[in-house]
Amino acid sequence: MKWTTRILFLLAISLSAALVAMVSGQKSRTPEATLEAIEATIDRDDFNHEAILRSLDGALSNARATGETELQAKALSLRGDVLYKIGAYEDSIRDFDEVSALQGSPDEELLIKMAEAHVRAGDPESGQRRIETLLSVNPESAPGLVQQGRLHQSSAKKLTDECEEAMSKIMPHAEAQRAAAIVDRLTAQDLLDPRRAGQVSTLREFFTEADGERLTRILVLCDDASVYNRKARDSYERSFEYSADPLGTYEYITLLIRAQRPEHALRFGAQARKHRPVLGHHP
C-alpha cells in the first residue's frame, strides 16, 4: 500500500470512527444535546448524510412519542436542512411545513428556506406565495424582498428557457446561441425601453416566414419574462431601502448589465459599497 493511499485510508477510518462515536454517544446525551451535536455536524460539508438522517429520524420519533413539540420542530428543521442539501427539495418542504404548523405562526427564516426549496424544485410560483405570506407580516423584510426578486427572476428564466428550447429545434447550434443572447437582452429590458425594437428586429432575422407563428410565441414569452424581471428589480429596489444585501446587490447589478445599462450598474455598485441602505439609487 502506497503511503498516500495509507494516509487516505487512515483519514477515512478516523472520520468514520468519529461519526460512529457521535451517533452512538447520542444515547447517553439529552435529546437537546443530541440535536445540538447534529446541528454542528451538518454545518460541515463532509458529513455522512444517511447516518445523520437516521439519527434525526430517531430523535424525531422520540420527540413525537413524548409530545415535546419544541424538540419535534428542531428535529424536523434540521432534517429539512439535510434533505435540502442532498437535493430532496420536496421532502425538505414537507418537513419545513410541519415545523411551521408546530410553531403556529409564520417564521421569516423558515419561509425564506421554503421559498428557496420551491425554486430548486422548479416551482417558483409556490415560492412566491411563501414570500407573500412573509411580506404580509413584515413588509420591510429585506431578505424577504430579495428572495421575492429572485423568485421573479426564476419565473422569467423558465420563460427564457422555453424560448431557447423552441429556437434550438429550428436553428443550427451557432445561430440558436446568438438568438439566445438577443432573447436574454430582451427579457432583461423594460417593455417600454426603446432599444427593444432594435433587438426584436434583429431576432426576426433568424426566422423564416414559415416560422412566423413560432416567432410570435417567442416574442410573447420574452414580453412576459421582461415583466417578471421588472418586478424583480422593483423588489430589489425596495429591499435597498432597508439593507444593501450582497445577494440582492449582485442580482440587481446583473440585471442592469444584461439590459445593457453598464453605466447604471457601475453607479449603483459604487453606492452599494458604502454599506448602508441604498436610497435614491434609481437609474
Side-chain angles (χ1 to χ4, degrees):
M1 185 182 291
K2 294 182 178 179
W3 68 271
T4 51
T5 305
R6 184 178 294 109
I7 289 174
L8 291 173
F9 179 71
L10 291 172
L11 283 173
I13 289 177
S14 299
L15 287 171
S16 298
L19 183 60
V20 169
M22 184 205 77
V23 173
S24 61
Q26 290 171 6
K27 295 180 181 179
S28 61
R29 292 174 174 162
T30 64
E32 293 83 358
T34 296
L35 292 176
E36 287 176 5
I38 292 175
E39 185 173 19
T41 301
I42 66 175
D43 284 339
R44 305 195 303 265
D45 293 327
D46 59 348
F47 65 92
N48 186 315
H49 303 104
E50 292 183 1
I52 290 295
L53 286 172
R54 285 195 298 271
S55 297
L56 286 168
D57 289 343
L60 180 57
S61 295
N62 291 335
R64 282 175 171 158
T66 58
E68 297 180 76
T69 56
E70 188 173 335
L71 288 178
Q72 288 179 56
K74 182 68 172 177
L76 284 163
S77 180
L78 290 173
R79 191 172 71 174
D81 288 340
V82 175
L83 290 168
Y84 180 92
K85 285 190 175 187
I86 65 176
Y89 302 118
E90 293 180 357
D91 289 337
S92 74
I93 291 168
R94 279 192 286 272
D95 277 358
F96 293 148
D97 265 327
E98 194 170 344
V99 173
S100 183
L102 287 167
Q103 291 176 337
S105 60
D107 177 273
E108 183 168 321
E109 182 180 354
L110 186 62
L111 286 168
I112 290 175
K113 281 184 182 180
M114 287 193 280
E116 184 64 34
H118 280 301
V119 171
R120 299 280 185 171
D123 185 13
E125 292 77 15
S126 293
Q128 197 66 256
R129 287 192 289 272
R130 304 285 188 180
I131 294 302
E132 287 169 3
T133 299
L134 188 163
L135 294 176
S136 70
V137 177
N138 180 13
E140 297 182 359
S141 168
L145 289 165
V146 169
Q147 187 62 47
Q148 183 183 59
R150 296 183 69 218
L151 285 161
H152 284 314
Q153 282 191 267
S154 182
S155 295
K157 188 177 185 307
K158 284 180 69 175
L159 299 177
T160 302
D161 289 345
E162 189 176 338
C163 292
E164 293 181 3
E165 182 180 357
M167 293 187 298
S168 68
K169 293 178 180 178
I170 61 170
M171 299 178 191
H173 178 72
E175 285 189 11
Q177 291 291 99
R178 291 197 297 273
I182 296 171
V183 165
D184 185 68
R185 287 192 291 274
L186 270 176
T187 57
Q189 292 170 338
D190 292 342
L191 288 179
L192 298 180
D193 191 321
R195 295 171 300 173
R196 289 186 96 245
Q199 302 288 349
V200 171
S201 179
T202 303
L203 185 62
R204 288 183 187 277
E205 296 175 3
F206 290 88
F207 294 82
T208 65
E209 290 186 11
D211 296 322
E213 186 174 337
R214 194 186 301 265
L215 172 61
T216 299
R217 171 62 179 162
I218 287 173
L219 291 175
V220 169
L221 291 172
C222 286
D223 287 351
D224 290 344
S226 179
V227 171
Y228 276 122
N229 280 326
R230 173 68 260 187
K231 288 181 178 179
R233 283 174 51 196
D234 288 343
S235 295
Y236 295 140
E237 288 169 0
R238 284 177 58 204
S239 79
F240 299 143
E241 297 175 15
Y242 313 111
S243 171
D245 182 273
L247 180 58
T249 299
Y250 170 80
E251 297 288 5
Y252 186 74
I253 289 174
T254 299
L255 273 175
L256 290 175
I257 292 173
R258 285 176 53 204
Q260 294 185 312
R261 304 175 73 179
E263 67 285 358
H264 298 303
L266 287 170
R267 188 185 316 143
F268 174 76
Q271 288 178 292
R273 282 195 295 271
K274 297 176 182 178
H275 299 289
R276 64 171 186 249
V278 185
L279 302 174
H281 67 277
H282 304 280

